[in-house]
Amino acid sequence: MVQGVSVENGVIQNINPATGQLIEPAVSVTSPEEIESIVSAANLSQQSWSDKTLSERIEAIRQGLIAVEPIADELADVITKEMGKISAEAKLEVSNAIGLKGAWLDMVKEANEDVHLGGGEEGKAESVVVRDPLGVVVVISPWNFPAGEIPFLAIPALAAGNTVIVKPSEVTPLSGELFCRALASSLPDGVLQVVQGDGKTGEQLISSDDVHMVAMTGSTATGKKIMNVCSKKLKRLVLELGGKDPMVVFKDADLDVAANNAVANSLFNCGQVCCAVERVYVDESIQDEFEQKVLDVAKKWKVGNPTDADTTMGPLASKVQRDNVSKQVEAAIEGGAKVLYQSECPDDGHGNFYPVTVLSSLKPDMTIQNLETFGPVVAMSTFDGTEASAIEMANSSDFGLASYVYTEDLAKGNRVARKIRSGQVGVNCYSILKAQPACPWIGHKQSGFGSHSGMDGFRSFSVPKSIVFTTNAPM
């Protein structure tokens, strides 16, 4: 079981986290025999798909994204039912996924184009670097962004000439299938398929000798298991894994901006974001002032039914996730952390609601400072205000996905950012919202293996091949 999701009589028990009720229609687990058939179909379709020109593949993918538009509201509603995301956030997720059909998809195309080296002068040797597809790529998608994360892995793989099999999280099986069905509507049969099930299903799928690459967004623990399975055949991997992302607030920061961002980026999607702010380090000289500003912002958030217009935070995706957050918070309190605020939240015994929680005076050895929380907690502690201390605190984790530095001195922000070991560092901003589309998304340390997005990430789904001529290459 992952997130407490069980399988009974071959059917995923898909529970609405706000009501505790089963979601219809029921989703059956893909049988071992069906998996073999799906993998076989993917391999049979791969050569003809890769034989199409890059432009033809890109256009087919673009039409697939356009096909999501008519079902956008339906898809957003399903996301809310399956994982508790408030309606506005679910609609934004779907809208952002559809929006990839423009400049982002054009960048994917550019990343896969041939590169000519040398040549130009008559008789001068020229080499052409082309990109070969890997074959069949399995995409294991997460539950926290059940539609939004699939295209970041599946589309570059498809563009490179691979066929793709998506296994949605068992927490959000309908969301993943609905999105993939629309995307696949413009593609040839067998090019994009879906497998449903839990970890056992995923293991069978990635263990197949006829699967050539695995791309996954999820937990570090699951990533290690995937790496172990794939090591036997040296399969290519892209793993975007967990984070314990720090935010450093110097005394010269714009404290209003920093406080707003600390709260918003700790609580967005109920804190269930791999790059959520999970550790806030505040210059000790401004601790009282900053904590008050954080409280003023946090008290504006309302926990409730995710379909209500005035709700700003819904339930956690599962009881397992709620219990994990609760245990971390309780252990921190027992260890001396101060509870500055906990909001009201529904308590009907059915939903997985958890209050907005603001903690202070956290210690480095606390579980909540070391393991991913993935919940609605603003976790604050202090540092002595020096750059060296800020860097040490930020790097005091096994993870390194994203980090945030707040200071009005951009030179200082730049110095600190360059010494923090993480894939992205936002200076006075939440980096994933402000980063240029060509930036890669990559985790340092135990936050990932390989990368996706950006030109480097787009190329992770193919292998380069150099074709060398003694003269100019033919056109």
Side-chain angles (χ1 to χ4, degrees), residues 262-310:
V263 174
N265 300 325
S266 295
L267 305 184
F268 176 73
N269 201 27
C270 208
Q272 299 166 128
V273 184
C274 57
C275 55
V277 172
E278 293 223 351
R279 295 176 289 147
V280 182
Y281 296 109
V282 184
D283 184 319
E284 59 191 8
S285 68
I286 57 167
Q287 178 184 6
D288 292 344
E289 181 184 3
F290 185 75
E291 288 180 354
Q292 185 57 54
K293 289 180 179 292
V294 165
L295 286 174
D296 291 342
V297 177
K299 289 177 180 179
K300 297 176 182 178
W301 283 66
K302 180 184 177 183
V303 183
N305 187 326
T307 62
D308 290 348
D310 61 344

Side-chain angles (χ1 to χ4, degrees), residues 13-28:
Q13 300 303 290
N14 194 8
I15 304 294
N16 185 320
T19 66
Q21 297 178 342
L22 274 172
I23 299 170
E24 297 291 344
V27 178
S28 297

Side-chain angles (χ1 to χ4, degrees), residues 87-103:
S87 296
E89 291 177 2
K91 290 177 180 178
L92 178 63
E93 177 180 342
V94 175
S95 175
N96 286 343
I98 295 169
L100 298 175
K101 67 185 179 182

Side-chain angles (χ1 to χ4, degrees), residues 134-466:
L134 293 161
V136 176
V137 176
V138 167
V139 170
I140 299 178
S141 61
W143 51 262
N144 58 335
F145 290 93
E149 277 291 317
I150 290 173
F152 288 122
L153 301 176
I155 287 177
L158 291 166
N162 304 289
T163 50
V164 171
I165 302 170
V166 175
K167 192 198 88 64
S169 168
E170 57 268 47
V171 179
T172 52
L174 290 171
S175 302
E177 182 152 359
L178 191 57
F179 177 84
C180 288
R181 191 187 309 146
L183 183 59
S185 66
S186 63
L187 307 177
D189 290 345
V191 171
L192 175 61
Q193 302 174 87
V194 174
V195 162
Q196 296 282 16
D198 58 10
K200 292 180 181 178
T201 302
E203 183 172 2
Q204 182 194 348
L205 180 60
I206 68 174
S207 297
S208 171
D209 288 345
D210 294 321
V211 165
H212 309 99
M213 179 180 179
V214 178
M216 184 274 268
T217 299
S219 72
T220 296
T222 300
K224 290 177 179 179
K225 293 177 182 178
I226 290 173
M227 180 175 280
N228 182 54
V229 171
C230 292
S231 67
K232 297 173 178 62
K233 290 289 185 179
L234 292 179
K235 294 179 182 179
R236 305 268 173 158
L237 292 171
V238 168
L239 304 174
E240 189 223 308
L241 307 176
K244 193 68 189 172
D245 304 322
M247 175 178 175
V248 175
V249 183
F250 286 98
K251 66 180 180 181
D252 63 349
D254 183 323
L255 298 189
D256 290 322
V257 170
N260 273 288
N261 288 4
V263 174
N265 300 325
S266 295
L267 305 184
F268 176 73
N269 201 27
C270 208
Q272 299 166 128
V273 184
C274 57
C275 55
V277 172
E278 293 223 351
R279 295 176 289 147
V280 182
Y281 296 109
V282 184
D283 184 319
E284 59 191 8
S285 68
I286 57 167
Q287 178 184 6
D288 292 344
E289 181 184 3
F290 185 75
E291 288 180 354
Q292 185 57 54
K293 289 180 179 292
V294 165
L295 286 174
D296 291 342
V297 177
K299 289 177 180 179
K300 297 176 182 178
W301 283 66
K302 180 184 177 183
V303 183
N305 187 326
T307 62
D308 290 348
D310 61 344
T311 295
T312 52
M313 196 177 82
L316 286 154
S318 70
K319 182 179 183 296
V320 167
Q321 190 61 30
R322 185 192 65 190
D323 290 349
N324 175 65
V325 175
S326 181
K327 287 177 182 177
Q328 287 197 16
V329 171
E330 289 171 6
I333 295 169
E334 290 174 4
K338 296 178 181 178
V339 181
L340 300 183
Y341 175 68
Q342 281 198 307
S343 70
E344 295 181 352
C345 73
D347 185 20
D348 58 8
H350 301 296
N352 302 317
F353 295 97
Y354 193 82
V356 170
T357 300
V358 180
L359 300 180
S360 180
S361 302
L362 297 168
K363 300 172 184 176
D365 61 348
M366 291 177 172
T367 301
I368 202 167
Q369 291 292 80
N370 292 281
L371 297 183
E372 191 170 39
T373 304
F374 234 55
V377 181
V378 184
M380 295 186 288
S381 55
T382 60
F383 72 106
D384 65 12
T386 65
E387 293 180 32
S389 177
I391 293 164
E392 180 182 3
M393 294 284 194
N395 286 333
S396 63
S397 171
D398 291 333
F399 301 99
L401 190 57
S403 302
Y404 313 98
V405 179
Y406 284 74
T407 173
E408 293 288 84
D409 183 345
L410 295 186
K412 177 168 68 177
N414 184 50
R415 288 193 301 271
V416 172
R418 286 175 177 270
K419 291 185 178 294
I420 293 177
R421 296 192 296 274
S422 66
Q424 283 192 356
V425 183
V427 179
N428 299 323
C429 70
Y430 192 51
S431 59
I432 197 170
L433 297 182
K434 298 295 183 179
Q436 293 298 310
C439 287
W441 186 241
I442 183 170
H444 292 200
K445 298 183 279 187
Q446 293 192 42
S447 285
F449 187 88
S451 68
H452 71 76
S453 299
M455 302 304 277
D456 290 338
F458 297 150
R459 295 184 178 117
S460 296
F461 298 87
S462 60
V463 288
K465 176 170 65 182
S466 299

Side-chain angles (χ1 to χ4, degrees), residues 49-64:
W49 173 245
S50 66
D51 282 345
K52 292 182 179 294
T53 66
L54 175 59
S55 294
E56 288 173 334
R57 294 196 298 271
I58 290 293
E59 186 54 32
I61 294 166
R62 198 184 315 275
Q63 292 305 312

